[in-house]
Structures are given as structure tokens and as C-alpha cells.
Amino acid sequence: MRIELVKRPERSKLFAALSPLIALGLTLIAGAIMFSLLGKDPVEALYYYFIDPLREVWSLHELAVKAAPLILIAVGLSICYLSNNWNIGAEGQFVIGAITGSILPVMFPDFQSWIVLPLMLLMGIAGGAAYGAIPAYLKVRFNTNEILTSLMLVYVAQLFLDWMVRGPWRNPAGMNFPETRTFSPSAVLPEIWSASGRANWGFVFAIVAAIALWFMLSRTLKGFEVLVLGQSPRAGRFAGFSQSKMVFFAFLVSGGLAGLAGISEVSGAIGQLRPTISPGYGFAAIIVAFLGRLNPLGIIAAGLVLALSYLGGEAAQISIGVSDKVVRAFQGMLLFFVLACDTLILYRIRFVGASAAKTVEATQNV
Amino acid sequence: MFEDILITIATAATPLLIAAVGEVVVERSGVLNLGVEGMMVMGAVTGFGVALTTGSPWLGVLAAIIVGALFSLLFGFLTLTLVTNQVATGLALTLLGLGLSGMLGESFVGLPGIKMDYIHIPFLSELPFVGKLLFGQDPLFYVSLLLTAGVAYFLFRTRAGLTLRSIGDNHTSAHALGIKVIAIRYLAVMFGGACAGLAGAYLSLVYTPQWIENMTAGRGWIALALVVFASWRPWRILAGAYLFGAVSIGQLHAQALGIGVPSQLLSSLPYLATVVVLVLISRNRRLTMVNTPASLGRPFVPDR
Amino acid sequence: MKKTILSFAAAAAVMSFGTMAAEAATKACFIYVGPIGDFGWSYQHHQGLEHMKKELGDKVETAYLESVPEGADAERAIERFARSGCNIIFTTSFGYMDPTNKVAGKFPDVKFEHATGYKREHPNVATYNSKFHEGRYIQGVIAAKMSKAGVAGYIASFPIPEVVMGINAFVLGAQSVNPDFKVKVVWANTWFDPGKEADAAKALIDQGVDIITQHTDSTAPMQVATERGIKAFGQASDMIKFGPTTQLTSIVDDWGPYYVERVKAVVDGTWKQQDVWGGMKEGHVVMAPFANMPDDVKKLAEETAAKIKSGEFNPFTGPIAKQDGSEWLKAGEVAENGVLLGLNFYVKGVDDKLPQ
């Protein structure tokens, strides 16, 4: 038997809505099998994974805390990927944004005013954008592959942060441990609704950025330019769009948003710089961007789903004692199913039997 | 001492070389598999486990190759048959590999593994200065060199290699010429998986004969970078892998000499060096254009 | 699908009954920074959990989270534990310090124990740590006796006080035998990367050291030492299996007794805030059997260990000079704990510049 894809004349609206549900269903089945094999009650396990984190308000706050950087970075990356710029160094731009954004609270702790926070955020954006501009410049000027340079710069950024918090920026009152001084209250990103949990304005930024970029992509000429240059650089050139400018635009936007995510995370959720400030948000965001089909609104949903899978993983670890590795394997499985099911949006699947006569339509033509 | 340092560099470079040479075949066929880290770690745990239970490192190597290839099939099925996005699928494969290997290896933690014996050729291995370097290393070191030569020969000197590259350059016209694009890409992906598995086994059977979770520690990513770094040419991968190894080992020596430069700066040297060399290479625009597989990462669905 | 929803509802109901029934036992919860399969830091804490579980039996229930990143995730993980009915929560990495204190403020009835930190902002937060440097001093004594080259290689992770303390203690121990003894330091900038640790060991050996000690977690340096035919010291756990003819001894972090004591205190209702810095005397630091050395070295090592264990001798007793030769401690003066816990300079004889 062979599987064949038949391109649909147009995107299937039905499957665009249905495919996440099918993926979820398949994940539930596969997950249930996996948990049963491990000797756990599958229903209980899946309950903790998907439902338990949504039951309490504080946990919803935590979901927002976890999803905010993922969404913020991923929407920026969507511009990159749509325009064919392969920025996989968002993690580095996140880190540099966090560092430049922290200049004020670390070096001038006595400067306390309402203006500190806006300045920090702007400096974070500028830092991330500037760091993103390096691979963009190398690509435009020397034709250097941006996948590699942006990835290499991640390691450099992390080591730079490490050096800063152990060296020049070490907390004078911190017993020589690697961390900066804690930010003063005026440098801390406020919580949205502090009575019920610790979700901060970073989540609002993420939603606003997603909506703004969605608007840009779907309603403005700039968005059209992104799509045209991404799909067909030749056609773009005929339309008078500049490929080089687009490279910078994409990297500056995604770098800036990653930088904003970095300073928001440090200022809102952590409160100081430390040797590691990100558990790989910049890389996880790549998955989020594709899970959301590079659509900023889809990315909001995708970011929440991935965040849920982290929280659910913890709940499952605590409650029924499945290990962290199971959680990660399960995450990988979930991604596989979501990606696979998205195929249904653009294609019909035909199972072609050994004899051509036995062709079976697997799905109805919608 | 100088010879020992060279051997240390060779050991550090070999796993990168093996994985990258596998990936170059995959990418030359037009497929970008970012799951090298995941396939490598699966190879590491399989190689260790099989060698430990059977007592034979060679069986471990064989099993790692098979598991690497099978694991890559998962990626192949999604990206080639279901035309999912290759970047995202590759990342998911890494996630799955890291998780799954941790689950499989839980009972191996804290057990000393079986180390593959070094080659020893009477007389030749005892030659001064070069004897051990040329004739006294681990067997997989020689495999890695043969593999590089073999892949270079295959890609640029055989008809099959030409076919593979033509698919990577333009899958639509290759298809029009009657080449079985998907089938060949499946084979390429599996070859890449097999090599990544072998590289993983090198880690758990030669480099550091033990199993620890996440023991690949990012080497799969370095291997991916090397492929681009080498502008998709096998011999340049060899040069790149040894350069990377030399800079990594060199910085440790610089530290041991006590030169007093921040260790973070020294640790970032291999990455900065990669960027610099890459810029130098890619300045020649025509040369890189010729080498880059034009269909890399693009989905292909045969029309009927 | 409908059936699934129903069973979810059923599961939810069972869950809430479950928590009610479970309240009888004391619940002890642990957060680890690495995977329990690292065979190093987190592994040893988990061994402590297992030991405690065995000792206290039915009286306790346990739970743990592994590979919890330091940063925003830590606070959530700790809060989740606090909310899920844990009575005592052990947070086992320095980077959990601020999140631990923050969550502790919100849950005054839950006890918190933070390893290796110094902040106790609420009465329900205690801190604990181990004097690993006591073991390092003994290693130094052995190294100086065993080394022919008079120079040892030290694979270090990150320049934090604990690691600097360890290097200094090692040098002081060595110099008590051979005043000219030198130590070469390589910073791996990782706690955990077997390949890199192996490379560091090889680089040090190629530069002429004939003893290796490490303050990183994997067993790779031990294997390299075995291969090259020199001696080495283990770290965190007894690594004799990885170097039967190589390991001289190993510093074993034994958290078990401490965990038994503290969880039992919660069960009995006698738990109080404290700051414990236990060493060999308290049984927190245990030396693996002295092996692969002549009897006279073994005897000296055992004597040194006995003196430290009885409290008769403190490794940081003057006269001690700083790296540049200036005086740190006068003869007979003992370093204060406060200075040690924030240590950021070397003593004389270390062949390295400390990142400042």
C-alpha cells in the first residue's frame, strides 16, 4: 500500500479547523497507549496533562507567563520565515535584549522613576534588533548563510551573559554568586492582576504584537511585500521590492521582539540577570511559529498549547510520577501529530492499494 | 605530547564529522533534517545498551546505525510523504529523541560502558611522532575518514550521486526526467540517520564510554552548522570538523597554561571562528551559489 | 470522544477524593536542577530522597520534579508543590533561592529547605549546604604524596565560591605535604558535558599533570585518567566502577541523613528554621574508600580525615597567603564561614587567574 497526496484546489476551511482536533485525538490515543505501557492509568495521566493545569486561576497565570515569551518570539520569527529568512538565533537575541534592557537597573540602581521601565523595554528591543542585524548584515553583504551565523551567535550571547553576571555585573551584595543585583521596584514589569497570580504585562505585549503583525501581514502593503518576496523573490524584484531591505526588516522585527521578550522575562518573571535566563524559549518558539502555521493569530493558540504541555508535564510528574523524559517524548509526539494533520488542509490523502483498481478515497472531498 | 594533542583533536572531531557527512547527503538531496541531535542521542543510548548487554561494541555500533536509520524514517514519513514543514519536524524529532533516549537509558546510568579497543599494528603503531596518530587510533576514526572519502566520491564521481544532487537542485525537473524523487530522498534521510546513530555510538563507546542523559550536549547542532560551513562539500566538512576540534581543545590548553583570559571568551572562540571562516568562504558569491542545493527545505509533491 | 470526557470527569472526582485521603502522611517534595540520571548533583539528591523514603516508610509520601530550569520556571514548580499539599519542599540548586523565598512568603504553613543559598527571608525557610572542601583538602594531601610531577590538574565548572573554596582547599592540602605543589585549573564552563570534561582532562594530562581532580559532574575524566594510566579523584558519587585502578578516593555527597532528620522533624512537629553547613563530622560529606595508594599515604589520608571529622582541624587555618603572596590568615587564625561562603580569590600555588 502506498500513500498519495492530492493537492486540494484551495485550502480546506473544514480541515483547517478540524486538524488540530484530529491531532489531539491521535495524541490522546498514542499517549494512552504509552502511559499504559509504562503501567500508569492513561485516563488519569491525560487528565493531569491537559485538564489539571487549566483548573485553577493561578495556573492560568502561569500559563500566560510561560506562553508570553514563546508567542512574542514566534510572531517575530513568522515574519522571518514567511520572507524566507531563516533566523534560528532568536535565543541569542532574547539574551542580548535582556542584557541591554538591564543596563539601567544594574548600572544605575539609584535612578528610579516611571520612565525607567519604558526605557528598559526600548533598550531591550534595540539590543535584540541590533544582535539580529548581525546575521542580516552578513547575509546581505557577504551572502553568508544566516541559519549558521544566527545559531553560532546564540552560543556567543550565552557566554557573554555568563561573563557579565560573573564579572562586571556581579551583585556586590550577592556573596560572589553569579547574578546581578535584584531590580528595584520601578524596574519590575508589573503584574496584570496581582491578586490572583503573577502573569505580567509581557503577555499583553505578546498579544498586542501578534495582532499588530497579523494586521500588517494581511492588511498592508508591507505584509504583501513579505509574502511576495518569500514566495517568489523574482516576482518581488519585478514589483520593485528590495530583497536586501527585506532581510534587514525581518531580522530587525524578529530580533526586536525577541529582545522585548528577553527584557520582559528578566524584568517581569525573574527580577535580575542570571547565567541562564531562558530554558530555550528561542528554540521552542520556532516550533510554536510552525505549529501556528506562521499566522500570528495561530501562533497565540500554538504558544498556549506548548505552554500547556510544559505545565501539564509537571502536573503529571508530580501526581502520577511519570518522569521528565516521558513528558518530553510526549511533547515530541504531540508535535508530530499536529504537523502531520495539518497536511490535510492542503492535501487529500489517498491510500493506493497494490492494484490500482483498489484505490480508496481516505477522506471525503470537501 | 604533540601527537597526543592531535589525537585528542581527532577524537573531538570524529563524531561531528560522521554526523555532518551523513547530513550532507540528506541536504544534497534537498531535505533539511534538523533532528541530528535527536538521532545522535538515540544512537548513543542504543550503542551503549547493546554493547553492554552483548559485550560486543561492534554489535552496539551496528544497532546504533540501525536505530538511527529507523528513527530518521519517522522524519522521512512526515516530511516526504505527508510534506510537513522540515524545520519544525526536525526540531520535534530532536525533542522526541532526547525524551525517548532518557526513558530507554534509565537503567544504564552509572554503569561503566565497554570501550572499543584501539587499533594496534605492530611496528607501525610504534613509529615515533606519527605512529599512534596514523595507525593506533580507534577503528571508528578510520571509518569516519573512509566515510568522508566515500561520500565525496559518491556525490561527485558517480551517476547515482549526480542524480541525488539533481534532486536537491531542482526536484521538479528531476521528477520530470523520471527520477523517483521521494524514494531517493527516503534513502538519503535514512543514510543521514544511520550516520547520526553511528556518531552517537562513537560518543558512548569511544569518546566517553558511558551513558548519561543528553550526553550529546549540542554536538548534533554543531554537525548541522558544519554542513553549511563546508558549503555542502564532504572534504571541507573534514577540515571544518578538525578546525572546530582544534579550537575547542586549544582553548582548554590555553587555560591550563594559565593565560588569564576569561574562559567564556575562550569558550566562544570555536563559534566565532566558525562565523569568521563562514564569512570568508561565502564572500565568493558564485562559489556558494553553485554548491547550495537550491531545493533545500522545500516540500515536494509529485503531480500525476 | 464523549466517553473520554466522561472518564475525565470521573478522574477529576477520584482526584479530589484522593487528596482528602492522602492528608494523613507527611508529604516531602524535591526539585532538581538536572535529570536524576546525571550521576552527579541531582542524582545524589535523589539518592537522599530514596534513603529518606526507606527510613521513614509509611510516614511520608514523596514527589519530585527533575530538570527544572532556574528562572521563571522554578517559581511555578515550587508554587505547584506548595499548592499540591507538600508539607516540606527541598529546592536543591542555588538558582532557586529567590523563587523559594518568594513562594515561602505565600505559604507560611509549608516548610522550605533551600540548598547552597544564604537567604532566609521567612521563618519557614531553612538553608543547608555541605563542606565539600573538607574532602578536597584530604584529596590535596593524597595528590601531593602520589604525584611525581608535583602538579595536579583541576577541572572546574563555574567560578562560584564553592568551587573556588574547593580549589583552595585542595592546594592547601597538597602544600601541607609539598610546599611547592602546583595546580593547573581548566574551567569547563559546564557542570555536565562528558565530552568536554574528557577533553579538559586530556589537555591537562598533555600539559604534564599526573593527577586529575574534578568539580564537574560526569565520570568522563575518571575514564580518561584510567586510559592514560594516571590517578584521579571522583566527584559527587563513588566512581570506583569507572576507574577501579584509578580512583584514589571520591567526595560523596550524602544528603540522606539530613533529609531523614528534617522530614522527621516535620512529622514530629519540631521543625525549626536553621542554616546548616554540615561536613564530615555531620556525615554530609563522606569519603569513598581510599584505594590505589601505598599504605603510608593511606594512613596519612585516614589521619587527616579523622582530624577533620573530629573537628580538631579546619582546612582553612592560617598561616595562609593569597595568590599574590599577601597575607590572608595569620598563623592559627581560622577563616570565618562568611568569608568562605563568598570566596573569590585563590591562595598561593594556584596556576590560574580567577575571573573577576
Side-chain angles (χ1 to χ4, degrees), chain C residues 19-276:
Chain C
T19 37
M20 266 191 253
E23 265 166 31
T26 295
K27 194 167 174 189
C29 303
F30 292 74
I31 294 183
Y32 308 130
V33 70
I36 53 173
D38 68 0
F39 206 58
W41 181 255
S42 296
Y43 175 83
Q44 284 301 126
H45 281 286
H46 194 62
Q47 293 296 308
L49 180 155
E50 297 288 351
H51 175 81
M52 182 266 293
K53 217 156 104 180
K54 224 181 346 189
E55 288 285 306
L56 299 181
D58 293 345
K59 278 179 256 169
V60 289
E61 231 188 288
T62 59
Y64 68 88
L65 280 173
E66 56 180 327
S67 301
V68 176
E70 299 177 344
D73 295 278
E75 187 174 332
R76 178 184 68 243
I78 298 166
E79 176 149 359
R80 184 186 296 282
F81 267 147
R83 285 176 183 269
S84 72
C86 298
N87 304 94
I88 180 165
I89 301 171
F90 294 89
T91 57
T92 62
S93 180
F94 173 76
Y96 299 154
M97 181 164 69
D98 288 322
T100 302
N101 279 287
K102 209 168 152 194
V103 178
K106 286 195 240 172
F107 297 88
D109 296 335
V110 180
K111 315 297 181 210
F112 294 83
E113 297 259 356
H114 178 232
T116 72
Y118 55 86
K119 278 189 197 166
R120 289 171 299 280
E121 289 169 357
H122 305 280
N124 54 336
V125 182
T127 49
Y128 62 104
N129 200 351
S130 288
K131 292 178 178 166
F132 303 112
H133 64 268
E134 294 182 342
R136 300 222 175 255
Y137 185 90
I138 301 169
Q139 290 187 348
V141 171
I142 299 170
K145 277 275 179 196
M146 297 295 291
S147 170
K148 290 188 189 70
V151 51
Y154 204 113
I155 303 166
S157 50
F158 293 106
I160 55 172
E162 185 193 317
V163 177
V164 177
M165 221 183 314
I167 297 173
N168 284 335
F170 183 85
V171 172
L172 292 173
Q175 287 173 348
S176 72
V177 175
N178 172 4
D180 295 325
F181 199 82
K182 291 271 184 298
V183 173
K184 279 181 182 293
V185 182
V186 165
W187 296 96
N189 273 325
T190 175
W191 283 108
F192 184 73
D193 176 345
K196 200 167 178 189
E197 292 168 49
D199 290 344
K202 289 177 193 166
L204 284 164
I205 296 169
D206 288 340
Q207 294 213 0
V209 312
D210 59 357
I211 299 254
I212 290 277
T213 188
Q214 63 181 92
H215 202 148
T216 50
D217 279 348
S218 93
T219 45
M222 180 67 66
Q223 289 179 317
V224 170
T226 308
E227 213 175 281
R228 298 285 188 102
I230 65 165
K231 303 290 182 220
F233 297 102
Q235 151 79 6
S237 55
D238 190 346
M239 296 179 173
I240 190 81
K241 271 193 271 175
F242 289 83
T245 56
T246 306
Q247 179 177 288
L248 296 163
T249 180
S250 177
I251 299 171
V252 180
D253 316 349
D254 191 359
W255 304 102
Y258 182 75
Y259 290 157
V260 172
E261 179 195 324
R262 298 302 280 170
V263 175
K264 199 157 176 302
V266 175
V267 174
D268 302 342
T270 57
W271 190 94
K272 274 199 190 64
Q273 178 182 59
Q274 62 178 26
D275 173 31
V276 168

Side-chain angles (χ1 to χ4, degrees), chain A residues 48 58 66 176 274 314, chain C residues 15 70 72-73 76 83 342:
Chain A
Y48 277 116
W58 81 274
K66 188 82 189 170
N176 288 315
R274 316 178 17 79
E314 275 172 17
Chain C
M15 250 36 82
E70 299 177 344
D73 295 278
R76 178 184 68 243
R83 285 176 183 269

